[in-house]
Amino acid sequence: MRGDEFEASQRSREWFHQLVVLPGAWTILRVDGRSFSRFTGQRYDKPFDARFAQLMTDTAASVLSEFNGRYAYTESDEISVLLDPSFELFGRSVEKLVSISAGIASAAFTHAAGEPAHFDSRVWMGTGPADVVDYFSWRQADATRFALNGWCYWTLRRSGQSSAEATRVLERSSVADKNELLESHGVNFDELPGWQRRGIGLWWEHYDRPGYDPVRRKEVTTARRRVHIERDLPMKEDYRELIARLAKDP
Ligand SMILES: Nc1nc2c(ncn2[C@@H]2O[C@H](COP(=O)(O)OP(=O)(O)OP(=O)(O)O)[C@@H](O)[C@H]2O)c(=O)[nH]1
Ligand SMILES: [Mg+2]
């Protein structure tokens, strides 16, 4: 076999490298901490720890910035980043998108936490802004479920129940039952911090930075952008409207 044929036959075995996200598709990358139940177990307060949420927020800001995304959302140990439908980074290669997003998240989190941790990644594709609105509503509902379950579970554990007992009680409980359970232990779910119940959103905001132009010797303002971090997101219909605004063309 000639050298160039050998080269081509080896390249053809990189089978998945041809796989790309459809041109113009609305794309979301979701990274998720690997075995974070174990990682967070001994290190962070349960069910929520503001220090852990800050690490996830720092990580979300890194992924949002590196991919120049439109919006990032974090809850529990996951981060979703919405890419612009016109993005062309890495030729839209699925292998590149998942490996680089997982790599960025793992590096950013490890750097911020000072301990090694890593993330997996997946790609979601939608056909338009309405799909994107549904996606983020879905993840926010997951955040609310995670918060309600976590608070109930740890409230029962702290009241003396074993892991198996607490799990059994929760399996048989409706959402209303869980709210009542917390109420009976003096916890009003609706008054818990918004970031725990609804997750944290990040997007770009534009601002004018005043400065001085030494050549023209005059005051000038330059347009800049920075990442806005929202720890008190709206919910349900208001959240859907926020996402619809962020996903609006262009
Ligand atoms: N202590 C603590 N743990 C948290 C917090 N937020 C998320 N977690 C943990 O992160 C886990 C995330 O769930 P999963 O992603 O389903 O579990 P995982 O162990 O990471 O499993 P894989 O993602 O499949 O590798 C939760 O079960 C919690 O244990 C927090 O604020 N404090
Ligand atoms: Mg995980």
Side-chain angles (χ1 to χ4, degrees):
M1 198 185 279
R2 288 191 350 235
D4 53 350
E5 283 173 1
F6 182 67
E7 169 81 15
S9 83
Q10 292 301 325
R11 291 268 176 224
S12 73
R13 286 174 184 275
E14 292 174 348
W15 193 257
F16 302 105
H17 213 57
Q18 307 302 322
L19 198 61
V20 295
V21 171
L22 287 177
W26 287 82
T27 305
I28 295 169
L29 305 174
R30 182 163 84 251
V31 298
D32 184 294
R34 164 122 189 277
S35 298
F36 266 35
S37 303
R38 192 159 21 124
F39 177 80
T40 55
Q42 300 300 316
R43 293 174 173 86
Y44 301 103
D45 295 340
K46 296 168 173 112
F48 287 99
D49 192 320
R51 292 168 304 153
F52 177 71
Q54 186 58 49
L55 294 174
M56 290 301 297
T57 306
D58 291 346
T59 306
S62 292
V63 184
L64 179 72
S65 302
E66 290 288 338
F67 282 90
N68 194 22
R70 282 193 182 208
Y71 177 61
Y73 174 73
T74 179
E75 56 112 353
S76 181
D77 70 337
E78 68 171 56
I79 298 163
S80 298
V81 176
L82 171 65
L83 304 181
D84 196 280
S86 66
F87 89 102
E88 286 291 338
L89 279 175
F90 320 117
R92 299 189 313 277
S93 156
V94 169
E95 277 191 344
K96 290 264 188 187
L97 290 172
V98 295
S99 59
I100 290 171
S101 56
I104 292 166
S106 304
F109 188 96
T110 296
H111 181 69
E115 292 190 80
H118 56 273
F119 288 76
D120 68 21
S121 179
R122 67 189 67 190
V123 175
W124 173 98
M125 267 196 317
T127 55
D131 286 344
V132 172
V133 169
D134 282 345
Y135 173 87
F136 283 106
S137 297
W138 173 51
R139 294 329 295 158
Q140 193 181 56
D142 187 77
T144 307
R145 217 172 17 248
F146 175 75
L148 186 60
N149 279 331
W151 268 99
C152 285
Y153 178 82
W154 286 105
T155 300
L156 291 173
R157 291 298 307 277
R158 285 181 189 125
S159 74
Q161 293 199 4
S162 69
S163 171
E165 283 167 340
T167 306
R168 203 161 345 107
V169 169
L170 293 183
E171 272 168 8
R172 285 195 244 109
S173 304
S174 66
V175 168
D177 294 338
K178 290 175 189 172
N179 275 286
E180 274 170 35
L181 186 155
L182 290 180
E183 203 82 61
S184 70
H185 285 84
V187 178
N188 183 340
F189 185 71
D190 293 334
E191 284 172 6
L192 293 170
W195 63 269
Q196 298 186 5
R197 291 175 292 122
R198 302 177 191 174
I200 298 168
L202 302 89
W203 59 85
W204 296 103
E205 66 180 8
H206 298 273
Y207 69 103
D208 289 330
R209 200 173 87 151
Y212 183 75
D213 182 340
V215 179
R216 288 187 289 160
R217 291 197 193 146
K218 58 186 257 203
E219 307 288 331
V220 288
T221 54
T222 42
R224 290 285 169 91
R225 67 175 196 167
R226 63 187 164 209
V227 175
H228 170 80
I229 298 170
E230 186 55 64
R231 291 183 174 82
D232 197 14
L233 285 172
M235 65 189 288
K236 296 191 177 159
E237 208 41 53
D238 291 339
Y239 185 56
R240 294 178 72 86
E241 277 170 29
L242 169 71
I243 301 300
R245 268 202 309 282
L246 290 165
K248 203 161 170 235
D249 284 321

